Amino acid sequence: DAKTTQPPSMDCAEGRAANLPCNHSTISGNEYVYWYRQIHSQGPQYIIHGLKNNETNEMASLIITEDRKSSTLILPHATLRDTAVYYCIVRPTNTGTASKLTFGTGTRLQVTL
Amino acid sequence: EAGVAQSPRYKIIEKRQSVAFWCNPISGHATLYWYQQILGQGPKLLIQFQNNGVVDDSQLPKDRFSAERLKGVDSTLKIQPAKLEDSAVYLCASSQTKQYFGPGTRLTVT
């Protein structure tokens, strides 16, 4: 079972910031928060991941609360090409069978003009 | 860098027929995964390989599904015989640390 809770859908105007929330209240100390997205008819694409600290890369920023029970993915200037299903996943740091990704149903982000 | 390649992209078969999917991972990636994604759901892991050995096949319906990765590179996933509920997108992914996904094979069983 997925260990995260996300809203099923969100809308965002093009050019505005998209803030996608995720609850992971049962996260363990050795588990990372990963974000993937899946554009229609494509495979999932890695966006960003973090453990405790906030992270930023060329695609997005990840804000993790101090208690690590929730996080927010921020797309600073959403474009129409960001329309996709966004998955928040918690995953242990060790390898082997724990390296698999357990997907929930994600948040469907619709970016509009 | 070339991504994960999969073929075919689309396949339509009748129930009780057999079908095979092929995956070529990113060069140097030791870990390979097959996921099944039913419409409206997130991907679900079917099998995970480390080189040519199976790490996790707990969710693979072994009475009809089989997979192999003989030389630790390419992999094939087979379904025999197919059922209507096998209609889905079959995704292959490979990783060293982050997982990279192929475009998937959309299977329709009629």
Side-chain angles (χ1 to χ4, degrees):
Chain A
D1 292 335
K3 296 164 63 174
T4 62
T5 304
Q6 299 177 252
S9 64
M10 294 182 64
D11 292 331
C12 179
E14 189 176 34
R16 305 297 294 268
N19 298 284
L20 291 88
C22 180
N23 286 319
H24 32 78
S25 58
T26 60
I27 193 169
S28 301
N30 69 337
E31 289 183 317
Y32 281 85
V33 179
Y34 278 77
W35 283 84
Y36 278 76
R37 74 179 182 183
Q38 188 171 23
I39 295 170
H40 183 62
S41 296
Q42 296 182 23
Q45 175 192 23
Y46 167 82
I47 301 174
I48 198 167
H49 74 283
L51 184 63
K52 295 181 181 179
N53 300 322
N54 298 336
E55 303 288 344
T56 295
N57 64 20
E58 65 279 3
M59 291 184 67
S61 294
L62 174 60
I63 308 298
I64 303 174
T65 58
E66 193 169 340
D67 64 6
R68 301 186 69 238
K69 292 184 178 182
S70 65
S71 60
T72 301
L73 178 74
I74 301 172
L75 308 178
H77 306 286
T79 71
L80 297 177
R81 286 177 293 182
D82 292 320
T83 293
V85 178
Y86 287 77
Y87 295 100
C88 171
I89 300 165
V90 295
R91 179 187 141 181
T93 57
N94 50 321
T95 56
T97 58
S99 69
K100 69 180 180 184
L101 296 173
T102 302
F103 291 83
T105 51
T107 295
R108 183 173 299 277
L109 175 69
Q110 180 69 52
V111 181
T112 58
L113 291 172
Chain B
E1 178 182 82
V4 177
Q6 291 188 246
S7 67
R9 290 295 316 277
Y10 305 92
K11 189 74 176 178
I12 301 174
I13 62 172
E14 296 182 351
K15 59 183 179 184
R16 291 186 290 274
Q17 287 187 324
S18 62
V19 64
F21 313 126
W22 173 82
C23 173
N24 181 238
I26 293 173
S27 178
H29 283 191
T31 310
L32 185 147
Y33 311 79
W34 284 100
Y35 289 83
Q36 179 193 57
Q37 185 172 24
I38 293 172
L39 187 64
Q41 300 180 18
K44 182 187 80 172
L45 181 73
L46 291 175
I47 189 167
Q48 176 184 344
F49 292 93
Q50 182 72 22
N51 296 308
N52 61 348
V54 175
V55 175
D56 183 356
D57 63 356
S58 58
Q59 298 298 308
L60 188 73
K62 299 180 186 63
D63 57 333
R64 298 182 301 104
F65 285 65
S66 64
E68 60 183 14
R69 194 183 183 200
L70 291 175
K71 297 182 178 180
V73 180
D74 293 6
S75 177
T76 55
L77 176 70
K78 297 179 182 178
I79 307 175
Q80 182 179 14
K83 292 185 176 181
L84 295 176
E85 59 260 36
D86 298 331
S87 293
V89 175
Y90 291 85
L91 294 159
C92 179
S94 69
S95 75
Q96 287 182 319
T97 53
K98 298 188 285 283
Q99 286 191 33
Y100 295 87
F101 285 80
T105 297
R106 181 176 298 277
L107 174 67
T108 302
V109 182
T110 62

